[in-house]
Amino acid sequence: SGGQSITSRHVVQVLPSPMADFNVNTVCAGTPMTAINHSSVSSGGLTYEWTMGEDTSFYTHGHATYTFQSGGGKMIKLVATSDQGCKDSNTYYLQINPSPIAAFTSTNACENKEVFFQNNSSVQADSIVGVNWIFGGQTYSVEESPYHIFNQAGYHDVKLVVQSSKGCMDSTTESLHVNALPNAQLYAYPDHVVCFGDSIELAAYSGYPKYFWSNGDSATRTKVGASGSYDVLIVSGENC
């Protein structure tokens, strides 16, 4: 009645599991965000796959830098895989602050005349709390929609910088053409004192579309026969 004993042995190896961990900083839309990877495993190495929001591409760097172009809640996911095939993942929902959009328009620009600048900047789900205007790289204004006088005709850079309540910023620069004033020099024919009953012709610089004389004439020249002061308003093709 001899018995028979059978023994079965299985060796199970428990592999170390990685721990996926990272931290991120809140940023503005359009500004690079960096995710700092703190993942670890007790032995061996790790490889990584990052998923950024709706972007289905994988980023395999240890740390990840990514730029979200729009504000709102964004999902960031990290999958850490050990060199023995064990995986762990971590997901973080990051709030991206919306960036403002700097924009402005201006009225017709003539030298030595006020130009009005209308601030048309906007930001979604936030408010603009900071405004800074730079005219020609020298003169500054923090008014919402300022007036400015350019003392010289030609092109002048106008820059507008805006900042939201979350600290997000945007700027825009436009090259503004400032039109020269018309030549308002007058000539008299004849150019000397005339006798009573005679007339004299006053002539403005020609080549402009509109002339408004104080005696009601609207041509380049006007003939007058009475003593007095005569003025002419000249309007250029640029409405200066």
Side-chain angles (χ1 to χ4, degrees), residues 139-223:
T139 308
Y140 300 85
S141 175
V142 294
E143 294 183 29
E144 178 72 17
S145 296
Y147 289 87
H148 185 73
I149 296 176
F150 296 92
N151 296 320
Q152 186 175 1
Y155 286 93
H156 299 264
D157 285 342
V158 178
K159 183 177 183 179
L160 170 61
V161 182
V162 294
Q163 180 176 338
S164 71
S165 65
K166 299 292 193 306
C168 300
M169 302 179 71
D170 188 37
S171 66
T172 184
T173 302
E174 293 186 14
S175 184
L176 179 68
H177 184 251
V178 178
N179 300 298
L181 295 178
N183 187 337
Q185 186 173 358
L186 297 181
Y187 303 91
Y189 303 96
D191 57 355
H192 53 78
V193 178
V194 296
C195 298
F196 179 79
D198 292 338
S199 63
I200 188 172
E201 187 176 55
L202 301 177
Y205 196 86
S206 63
Y208 298 107
K210 296 178 182 179
Y211 298 85
F212 300 93
W213 291 90
S214 55
N215 64 356
D217 283 351
S218 58
T220 306
R221 297 166 178 259
T222 186
K223 187 173 290 187

Side-chain angles (χ1 to χ4, degrees), residues 74-139:
K74 307 295 181 181
M75 182 197 75
I76 302 174
K77 183 179 180 179
L78 170 63
V79 178
T81 304
S82 71
D83 51 15
Q84 295 172 318
C86 297
K87 294 187 176 185
D88 187 36
S89 66
N90 195 0
T91 301
Y92 187 88
Y93 289 90
L94 176 66
Q95 185 66 31
I96 300 295
N97 295 320
S99 290
I101 299 175
F104 66 90
T105 55
S106 61
T107 56
N108 185 51
C110 302
E111 65 175 320
N112 297 320
K113 303 294 181 181
E114 282 189 334
V115 182
F116 177 65
F117 291 89
Q118 176 66 53
N119 188 345
N120 300 318
S121 303
S122 61
V123 62
Q124 293 184 349
D126 201 352
S127 59
I128 294 176
V129 297
V131 177
N132 190 16
W133 296 86
I134 304 171
F135 300 104
Q138 297 178 349
T139 308

Side-chain angles (χ1 to χ4, degrees), residues 11-117:
V11 178
V12 178
Q13 181 182 10
V14 179
L15 302 175
S17 294
M19 183 177 68
D21 184 33
F22 66 94
N23 69 283
V24 293
N25 57 316
T26 300
V27 296
C28 304
T31 302
M33 177 277 309
T34 299
I36 304 300
N37 193 341
H38 300 292
S39 301
S40 61
V41 66
S42 59
S43 65
L46 292 173
T47 58
Y48 307 102
E49 289 183 351
W50 294 89
T51 303
M52 300 293 177
E54 300 81 14
D55 191 342
T56 57
S57 304
F58 287 124
Y59 300 84
T60 59
H61 303 290
H63 305 303
T65 299
Y66 188 80
T67 301
F68 292 99
Q69 299 300 330
S70 61
K74 307 295 181 181
M75 182 197 75
I76 302 174
K77 183 179 180 179
L78 170 63
V79 178
T81 304
S82 71
D83 51 15
Q84 295 172 318
C86 297
K87 294 187 176 185
D88 187 36
S89 66
N90 195 0
T91 301
Y92 187 88
Y93 289 90
L94 176 66
Q95 185 66 31
I96 300 295
N97 295 320
S99 290
I101 299 175
F104 66 90
T105 55
S106 61
T107 56
N108 185 51
C110 302
E111 65 175 320
N112 297 320
K113 303 294 181 181
E114 282 189 334
V115 182
F116 177 65
F117 291 89

